[in-house]
Amino acid sequence: MSDRGFIAQLEGYGLTTAEIHYYRPDAPSLLQLFTWQEYDLAPDFPVLFDFLDHWRREIEAALHSVRIAHGRLIGPTEWRAVDGIIPLP
């Protein structure tokens, strides 16, 4: 069993957070905030842009702005498998 996020990091993905500001149709004068977080590839952000395309097609809320933060937490060269048993006290 493996963690999807860990495997994504080994493949070069980093944690991406997007602040999505939008207007709902029932309150067009009220700017609202949605925070989205997923593993994605910078600088193209294909996962985020797929989500934003879905938003534009399926959600009846007009986008105002999107602010993106991205951080690579681990890279393939920073991780290596170790054979053996490490006893814990």
Side-chain angles (χ1 to χ4, degrees):
M1 191 184 285
S2 61
D3 179 36
R4 182 186 67 84
F6 180 69
I7 299 300
Q9 289 178 58
L10 291 177
E11 293 172 351
Y13 285 71
L15 190 60
T16 301
T17 303
E19 284 185 353
I20 301 169
H21 294 90
Y22 66 96
Y23 298 104
R24 287 187 13 199
D26 59 340
S29 63
L30 183 62
L31 186 62
Q32 299 195 25
L33 171 68
F34 177 78
T35 303
W36 176 91
Q37 195 169 54
E38 185 61 68
Y39 288 98
D40 207 350
L41 288 169
D44 297 329
F45 301 107
V47 179
L48 174 60
F49 286 117
D50 284 346
F51 175 76
L52 292 175
D53 287 341
H54 169 78
W55 182 294
R56 287 184 193 107
R57 281 190 322 271
E58 304 294 331
I59 299 174
E60 295 181 16
L63 292 174
H64 172 270
S65 61
V66 178
R67 187 164 63 165
I68 303 169
H70 176 81
R72 283 198 56 185
L73 302 176
I74 188 172
T77 59
E78 299 169 2
W79 182 86
R80 62 186 174 100
V82 177
D83 291 330
I85 298 173
I86 300 171
L88 299 174

